[in-house]
């Protein structure tokens, strides 16, 4: 069982930066992938960025070149560095940990979310 706690959200002006952190209660080393998702009011939750156990990263087109995901296995923490923030980045950001077995269902763990608001 893994518990995830996000931090680092807040209010920032357009063009500003924030760094989100996701601290896991258990080891993230065994997780196949760690990711950040976001959900804006009235919209579905969407993948923002994900990093695999092997370090492969993928990003939503809307954040490519502005956001960077990283993981520190020793600290059981995943980060999302967000630069050049835009009002459309406003959302609740959720940390996700996924255990993907060779066969059978994926097990997903979620944090409680942290609000990011980009506004002048």
């Amino acid at each position: 069982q893994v518990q995830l706690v996000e931090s680092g959200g807040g209010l920032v002006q357009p063009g500003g930066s924030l760094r989100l952190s996701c601290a896991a209660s258990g080891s993230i080393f065994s997780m196949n992938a760690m990711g950040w998702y976001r959900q804006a009011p009235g919209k579905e939750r969407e993948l923002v960025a994900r990093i695999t156990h092997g370090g492969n990263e993928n990003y939503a087109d809307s954040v490519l070149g502005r956001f960077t995901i990283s993981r520190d296995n020793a600290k059981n923490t995943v980060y999302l560095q967000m630069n050049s923030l835009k009002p459309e980045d406003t959302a609740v950001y959720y940390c996700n940990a996924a255990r993907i077995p060779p066969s059978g269902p994926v097990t997903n763990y979620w944090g409680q979310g942290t609000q990011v608001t980009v506004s002048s």
Side-chain angles (χ1 to χ4, degrees):
Q1 189 75 9
V2 174
Q3 292 184 327
L4 306 172
V5 178
E6 303 98 334
S7 61
L11 173 64
V12 63
Q13 292 186 342
S17 298
L18 282 175
R19 188 175 83 153
L20 305 183
S21 299
C22 171
S25 61
S27 173
I28 65 171
F29 183 79
S30 63
M31 292 295 162
N32 297 91
M34 301 291 298
W36 288 94
Y37 290 70
R38 68 186 180 188
Q39 187 166 20
K43 295 188 177 180
E44 294 186 355
R45 190 173 298 190
E46 63 175 358
L47 175 67
V48 176
R50 182 170 56 191
I51 184 167
T52 68
H53 179 82
N56 294 318
E57 304 169 20
N58 62 286
Y59 298 90
D61 288 344
S62 59
V63 306
L64 195 61
R66 300 188 297 123
F67 291 11
T68 302
I69 189 171
S70 61
R71 61 191 291 171
D72 186 332
N73 289 334
K75 295 183 178 180
N76 291 323
T77 302
V78 178
Y79 305 96
L80 184 68
Q81 178 66 44
M82 305 186 294
N83 299 326
S84 302
L85 282 160
K86 304 176 181 179
E88 51 263 43
D89 294 319
T90 296
V92 178
Y93 284 70
Y94 296 92
C95 181
N96 168 268
R99 182 172 284 124
I100 307 170
S103 61
V106 175
T107 300
N108 282 296
Y109 301 92
W110 295 95
Q112 83 288 350
T114 185
Q115 177 71 46
V116 171
T117 302
V118 184
S119 175
S120 55

